[in-house]
């Protein structure tokens, strides 16, 4: 019920504007387009095209498609209004009902138009999609560059505080795999804008697959395990340049980096209990080792936010720099590191890290399995709903 509520809140957030988009232009289109009518064949083609869309068009578009489809095939909404707790069906009913007495032919035409615009917009944004060698511009959520012996992977959703959406998880894995094979000596992860990263994108929780929330949680655990695994196995020196606040998984992963340089503006926050969740990124193992069990519990269980200075004192951060000179000082240092013999660095990292690898993979698997259960809990669902409905922030 909580997840249905969540989907409904999202639909509700989008619906006020989307209903205007549905009802107002639909009527206009009807007036302007008496001569342009989509045939039944066009309509059927559009229905098939929807199934072939390479990307999920999002809940707002799906609600519009649903409403137009129902209007085109059954006419005005004559179903009883779903009960107040039947949240998803109520959002669908609202969308359909908002079409009023729009004629079937117009709804059919609008459906065809909508599918056509979705196909072209999603098609064009997926031209840079998977498969071949991605260059910097081939990423949607990252900027990846390679120069002076350094591959820099920059999280690039500054307007969302570099929250990690599903695409970003995949792109980071792709970029790390490419960096492990390229001719750079070291690899750097950093953030664009004022944040390093605000952690997992909480809207990841809203896209529920046909198998429901259980399938969603299972897929999330698989993705997380693979994602963290890439950091455990990364063979070259991996350095975090923490340009601003870091939250959640962007903090826990730092225990798997080989050096962490932070601006004095950065903070380190893992509010897992607040979110009804539990630690990941192997932090249940690395943090107690790095900073003592008691300090790790303050962070991972009680959600204590550390300043950069405190994180450095606890051993999570290697060195802190004043924000005004941060970029200059850090990159000068990194360029010097990148001139060291790459094979020697690789082999030294291997000998330091390898004996822990098996343990880290086991910890990762266990953390993912615990989180899978947490994502289905009321505590977690309520926390996500509260954030998405703007009732809470960290
Ligand atoms: C599948 C793998 C799962 C791995 C498990 C990982 C767990 C974690 O990482 S737990 C940590 C999750 N992160 C959070 O709970 C942070 C939530 N965000 C916030 O509390 C705040 O946004 C803030 C403190 C990070 C920043 O606050 P403020 O400076 O006031 O900026 P805004 O809130 O206005 O943010 C701007 C814009 O960005 C969106 N946004 C920021 N962080 C997230 C996020 N984590 N998920 C989704 N969206 C995020 C925010 O909603 C704003 O969007 P618009 O309103 O559309 O402008």
């Amino acid at each position: 019920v909580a997840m249905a509520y969540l989907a409904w809140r999202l639909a509700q957030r989008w619906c006020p504007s989307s209903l205007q988009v549905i009802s107002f232009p639909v009527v206009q289109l009807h007036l302007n387009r008496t001569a342009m009518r989509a045939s039944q064949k066009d309509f059927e083609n559009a229905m098939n095209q929807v199934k072939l869309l390479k990307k999920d068009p999002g809940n707002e578009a799906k609600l519009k498609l649903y409403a137009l489809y129902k209007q085109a095939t059954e006419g005005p909404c004559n179903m009883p209004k779903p009960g107040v707790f039947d949240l998803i069906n109520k959002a669908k009913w609202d969308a359909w009902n908002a079409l009023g007495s729009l004629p079937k032919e117009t709804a059919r035409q609008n459906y065809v138009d909508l599918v056509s615009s979705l196909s072209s917009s999603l098609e064009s944004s997926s031209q840079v999609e998977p498969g071949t060698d991605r260059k910097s511009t081939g990423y949607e959520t990252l900027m990846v560059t390679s120069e002076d012996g350094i591959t820099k992977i920059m999280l690039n959703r500054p307007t969302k505080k570099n929250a990690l959406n599903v695409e970003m998880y995949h792109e980071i894995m792709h970029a790390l795999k490419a960096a492990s094979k390229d001719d750079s000596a070291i690899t750097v992860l950093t953030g664009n804008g004022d944040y390093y990263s605000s952690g997992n994108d909480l809207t990841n929780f809203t896209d529920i697959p046909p198998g429901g929330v259980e399938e969603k949680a299972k897929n999330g655990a698989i993705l997380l395990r693979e994602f963290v695994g890439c950091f455990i196995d990364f063979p070259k020196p991996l350095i975090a340049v923490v340009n601003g606040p870091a939250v959640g998984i962007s903090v826990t992963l730092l225990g798997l980096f080989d050096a962490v340089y932070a601006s004095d503006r950065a903070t380190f926050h893992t509010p897992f209990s607040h979110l009804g969740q539990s630690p990941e990124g192997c932090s249940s193992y690395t943090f107690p080792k790095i900073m003592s069990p008691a300090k790790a519990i303050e962070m991972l269980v009680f959600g204590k936010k550390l300043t950069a200075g405190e994180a450095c004192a606890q051993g999570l951060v290697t060195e802190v720099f004043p924000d005004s000179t941060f970029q200059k000082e850090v990159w000068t240092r990194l360029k010097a590191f990148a001139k060291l013999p790459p094979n020697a660095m690789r082999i030294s990292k291997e000998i330091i890290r390898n004996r822990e690898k098996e343990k880290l993979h086991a910890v990762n698997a266990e953390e993912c399995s615990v989180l899978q259960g947490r994502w289905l809990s009321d505590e977690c669902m309520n926390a996500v709903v509260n954030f998405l409905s703007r009732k809470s922030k960290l």
Side-chain angles (χ1 to χ4, degrees):
V1 166
M3 200 46 104
Y5 176 65
L6 195 155
W8 173 73
R9 289 307 299 239
L10 280 171
Q12 203 190 35
R13 209 173 129 202
W14 288 329
C15 260
S17 58
S18 69
L19 293 185
Q20 287 163 20
V21 173
I22 292 168
S23 51
F24 174 55
V26 154
V27 174
Q28 276 199 328
L29 280 173
H30 174 55
L31 294 176
N32 296 342
R33 209 191 275 129
T34 40
M36 253 177 63
R37 289 275 152 85
S39 66
Q40 180 60 25
K41 184 87 190 132
D42 295 333
F43 186 53
E44 282 163 16
N45 284 344
M47 283 191 278
N48 288 331
Q49 226 177 321
V50 168
K51 294 180 202 144
L52 298 175
L53 287 177
K54 287 189 184 146
K55 285 189 179 173
D56 188 322
N59 287 351
E60 184 184 6
K62 283 195 278 197
L63 270 179
K64 281 189 208 169
L65 285 170
Y66 168 82
L68 288 169
Y69 171 82
K70 295 295 274 183
Q71 191 84 7
T73 53
E74 296 178 32
C77 178
N78 55 3
M79 308 279 287
K81 191 171 182 171
V84 70
F85 291 114
D86 191 359
L87 302 166
I88 292 177
N89 283 325
K90 187 173 171 300
K92 287 159 101 180
W93 186 92
D94 284 341
W96 183 11
N97 191 49
L99 296 183
S101 58
L102 185 78
K104 279 185 171 181
E105 300 72 33
T106 313
R108 195 162 69 183
Q109 178 67 55
N110 291 353
Y111 182 94
V112 171
D113 290 343
L114 178 56
V115 172
S116 157
S117 73
L118 286 174
S119 303
S120 49
S121 67
L122 296 174
E123 207 57 49
S124 59
S125 63
S126 67
Q127 267 166 12
V128 286
E129 274 282 297
T132 52
D133 217 355
R134 295 180 191 207
K135 299 203 169 55
S136 173
T137 49
Y139 292 95
E140 300 234 339
T141 65
L142 306 176
M143 275 196 276
V144 183
T145 51
S146 220
E147 59 181 337
D148 299 322
I150 305 173
T151 292
K152 175 166 87 170
I153 301 172
M154 181 183 264
L155 309 177
N156 191 29
R157 298 182 72 216
T159 57
K160 298 288 175 188
K161 310 291 181 193
N162 296 322
L164 281 86
N165 61 9
V166 171
E167 183 165 28
M168 198 188 264
Y169 284 111
H170 284 289
E171 290 196 341
I172 293 172
M173 287 193 277
H174 188 285
L176 284 176
K177 280 174 192 154
S180 71
K181 291 187 214 118
D182 69 16
D183 56 7
S184 62
I186 62 175
T187 300
V188 172
L189 190 72
T190 191
N192 189 14
D194 61 342
Y195 260 66
Y196 175 66
S197 168
S198 62
N200 189 38
D201 189 317
L202 296 175
T203 66
N204 288 341
F205 288 99
T206 61
D207 186 19
I208 309 298
V213 286
E214 283 79 11
E215 186 184 335
K216 178 84 201 165
K218 188 169 159 223
N219 293 343
I222 292 170
L223 173 64
L224 180 62
R225 187 168 170 187
E226 192 189 350
F227 178 72
V228 174
C230 288
F231 286 82
I232 299 172
D233 289 331
F234 194 73
K236 297 177 181 179
L238 181 62
I239 293 145
V241 171
V242 185
N243 53 298
V247 184
I249 189 164
S250 72
V251 177
T252 56
L253 283 173
L254 295 176
L256 299 173
F257 280 69
D258 301 304
V260 178
Y261 296 122
S263 150
D264 60 7
R265 233 176 28 79
T267 52
F268 300 82
H269 192 191
T270 49
F272 297 127
S273 300
H274 299 72
L275 294 166
Q277 297 185 38
S278 50
E280 24 60 357
C282 294
S283 58
S284 62
Y285 179 71
T286 56
F287 278 30
K289 280 187 87 164
I290 291 169
M291 59 183 73
S292 89
K295 291 290 180 190
I297 288 204
E298 263 197 321
M299 274 194 89
L300 299 174
V301 179
F302 303 135
K304 181 179 177 193
K305 189 195 284 188
L306 301 192
T307 63
E310 287 165 342
C312 191
Q314 299 306 337
L316 183 63
V317 165
T318 315
E319 194 170 334
V320 182
F321 298 82
D323 195 56
S324 54
T325 54
F326 177 60
Q327 296 291 346
K328 190 163 176 279
E329 289 194 62
V330 167
W331 288 103
T332 305
R333 183 174 304 193
L334 293 177
K335 281 178 193 166
F337 288 170
K339 291 201 175 85
L340 295 168
N343 291 335
M345 288 200 284
R346 209 182 242 266
I347 287 166
S348 298
K349 168 165 178 168
E350 198 174 295
I351 199 164
I352 295 167
R353 296 275 184 192
N354 263 15
R355 68 180 71 86
E356 285 280 60
K357 256 192 189 176
E358 207 180 313
K359 174 73 185 170
L360 289 169
H361 281 296
V363 170
N364 183 25
E366 189 187 350
E367 287 178 348
C368 293
S369 146
V370 172
L371 251 181
Q372 185 175 335
R374 284 279 85 212
W375 287 327
L376 297 172
S377 70
D378 287 353
E379 289 178 344
C380 175
M381 290 186 193
N382 290 335
V384 173
V385 167
N386 281 341
F387 174 75
L388 295 176
S389 58
R390 294 295 184 269
K391 279 200 208 131
S392 78
K393 253 182 208 184
L394 294 173

